[in-house]
Amino acid sequence: MKPMKGQMALFDERTPAKSRREGAAAKHAAPSRRLRADWRAARDFAADMVAETLYPTRCAVCDKPGAVLCGSCAAALPYIDALTACPRCGAPFGVVQCSECTSVLMEPFGYKEPPYDEMASALVLTEAVRRIVTVYKDQNERGLARPMAQIMARYLPPRWMGAAPVVTFVPATAAARRRRGFDHAEHLARELSFIAGLDFAPLLVAARSRDQRKLGRTGRIGNMRHSLTALAGASMPAAVIVVDDVCTTGATLFAATEALRTAGAKIVWCLTFART
């Protein structure tokens, strides 16, 4: 075939026979790779269909098949009203006088006020919400990360977005990652950054600590103190949004904020899916 103007012919009379054979092999390799890729895609699709037939996707709350979180259950969740929530710590009814971030409650942490600049949470941790979190991170229903992040994205204040913050997350311990097979907060943070159009970066490293769910308030404070450090070599942005699934006492987010500020972050905001 005559080459187009400006292009070289694939072969000409001066091309050695060996080079022509290698070129011909390369020419036919690409369709072969595409065929294998198409076959793998078809195989994975068929496997998904079989799995969906045998074990259909079900709502984490009501167990109805069809979606990981059905519309009815999503609408009935206990959303926090941002207009009545504390503008500093996000407590559901603290807009006038907050009972959660007072100096009395901050004293065991060694603070007079929360170390982060602001915090927001989307939901009150009821049994329905707790079930979503449990199914997501302990039953490996990773598909819940997207609807959870979509709910959280609604609670991003415009003033946060204006600073073009980087989204990061509270990392799970190595033991928790091995047990679950993934880092639940990392998946939430990635989904949130995609939905909100913000940059994502891992900025924190978890040290060894006990499972927070087995500890009371005082135990959580001591357990999380200095349990997080900044990732070595990470370029610390000026403004950061720290993502986690649940806020109980705030000890984990306090530790994350301390680590980020020590490493050079100027503004630290925190966002969680739910809070007690």
Side-chain angles (χ1 to χ4, degrees):
M1 183 173 66
K2 184 178 180 181
M4 294 176 64
K5 185 178 181 181
Q7 292 182 331
M8 295 180 62
L10 179 61
F11 305 123
D12 60 30
E13 293 302 322
R14 292 166 295 178
T15 305
K18 181 179 178 181
S19 297
R20 290 201 299 270
R21 288 196 300 271
E22 291 174 349
K27 182 179 179 182
H28 291 288
S32 177
R33 285 195 296 270
R34 287 197 297 270
L35 183 61
R36 288 197 298 271
D38 291 343
W39 182 86
R40 285 195 296 268
R43 178 198 62 190
D44 293 344
F45 178 78
D48 289 342
M49 292 299 97
V50 171
E52 187 64 25
T53 301
L54 297 176
Y55 308 101
T57 298
R58 294 180 177 275
C59 175
V61 180
C62 69
D63 206 37
K64 183 172 71 175
V68 290
L69 181 61
C70 73
S72 298
C73 289
L77 292 175
Y79 294 93
I80 293 174
D81 187 342
L83 295 178
T84 62
C86 174
R88 183 63 187 277
C89 76
F93 303 104
V95 65
V96 176
Q97 175 149 5
C98 184
S99 61
E100 300 297 319
C101 59
T102 65
S103 58
V104 174
L105 289 180
M106 292 296 103
E107 186 175 356
F109 297 95
Y111 298 112
K112 291 184 178 179
E113 59 184 8
Y116 48 68
D117 291 275
E118 292 176 7
M119 175 181 163
S121 298
L123 301 164
V124 176
L125 188 64
T126 60
E127 284 305 311
V129 177
R130 190 185 303 276
R131 180 165 175 77
I132 293 172
V133 173
T134 301
V135 170
Y136 168 52
K137 67 181 187 181
D138 291 333
Q139 298 181 21
N140 204 27
E141 184 52 83
R142 303 187 195 189
L144 277 166
R146 176 60 60 88
M148 291 171 71
Q150 288 172 334
I151 291 172
M152 294 169 71
R154 303 174 199 167
Y155 286 79
L156 286 169
R159 59 184 174 277
W160 294 13
M161 300 295 289
V166 171
V167 177
T168 193
F169 61 98
V170 175
T173 62
R177 286 197 303 272
R178 286 194 300 270
R179 185 174 68 252
R180 295 172 180 143
F182 74 115
D183 192 317
H184 63 285
E186 179 181 1
H187 278 239
L188 277 180
R190 287 184 182 276
E191 290 287 355
L192 179 73
S193 66
F194 175 77
I195 293 166
L198 297 172
D199 288 336
F200 165 86
L203 299 175
L204 294 166
V205 176
R208 182 174 297 184
S209 61
R210 296 165 61 193
D211 191 332
Q212 289 284 83
R213 292 174 294 184
K214 302 175 182 178
L215 302 175
R217 182 180 180 84
T218 304
R220 285 171 181 261
I221 294 171
N223 187 47
M224 291 308 299
R225 180 70 73 178
H226 309 305
S227 65
L228 297 170
T229 58
L231 181 65
S235 178
M236 192 59 59
V240 181
I241 297 175
V242 182
V243 169
D244 204 1
D245 58 341
V246 177
C247 174
T248 304
T249 63
T252 304
L253 295 171
F254 289 0
T257 301
E258 288 176 353
L260 292 170
R261 288 203 189 280
T262 300
K266 303 301 181 185
I267 303 172
V268 179
W269 293 305
C270 298
L271 180 66
T272 68
F273 178 65
R275 66 174 297 146
T276 55

